[in-house]
Amino acid sequence: MSQTKRIGGAYTITASGGTTIDSALVVTGNLTVSGTTTTVSTTNAAIKDNIVVYNDGESGAGVSGGSGKSGIEIDRGSVANAQFVFDEADDKFKIS
């Protein structure tokens, strides 16, 4: 069943079991996602930002979470993952 809702002002959808959209979704305004984990499953991602900020919202002096490290990790399957991280312990970028 298809429905069209024309809303003036804020509109909240609350679903106790979750909500699934199984077709295209276009958001023409800003999108805010709040939660402890955000998962994006895609084949290719195109990001227009010149600078991507990791560890956003840090309130301490340096990187306090994640064992004092922040960066990029690549899952390599059955072998050790590769990382490019900033390590707060010695104030350096590390590649492993």
Side-chain angles (χ1 to χ4, degrees):
M1 173 174 71
S2 176
Q3 292 184 359
T4 299
K5 300 276 186 190
R6 298 192 191 284
I7 307 298
Y11 185 72
T12 301
I13 298 172
T14 303
S16 61
T19 301
T20 300
I21 298 171
D22 61 1
S23 186
L25 172 66
V26 176
V27 177
T28 57
N30 294 329
L31 174 65
T32 301
V33 177
S34 299
T36 55
T37 301
T38 302
T39 302
V40 177
S41 297
T42 186
T43 301
N44 295 303
I47 300 170
K48 287 187 178 185
D49 289 337
N50 292 340
I51 298 174
V52 177
V53 178
Y54 294 94
N55 202 47
D56 186 45
E58 173 67 57
S59 60
V63 180
S64 60
S67 301
K69 296 178 185 171
S70 181
I72 299 170
E73 181 171 281
I74 300 166
D75 184 342
R76 299 180 62 223
S78 62
V79 296
N81 289 354
Q83 292 184 338
F84 177 72
V85 297
F86 182 81
D87 191 340
E88 196 66 48
D90 56 7
D91 201 30
K92 294 182 181 178
F93 279 96
K94 293 184 176 178
I95 298 173
S96 63

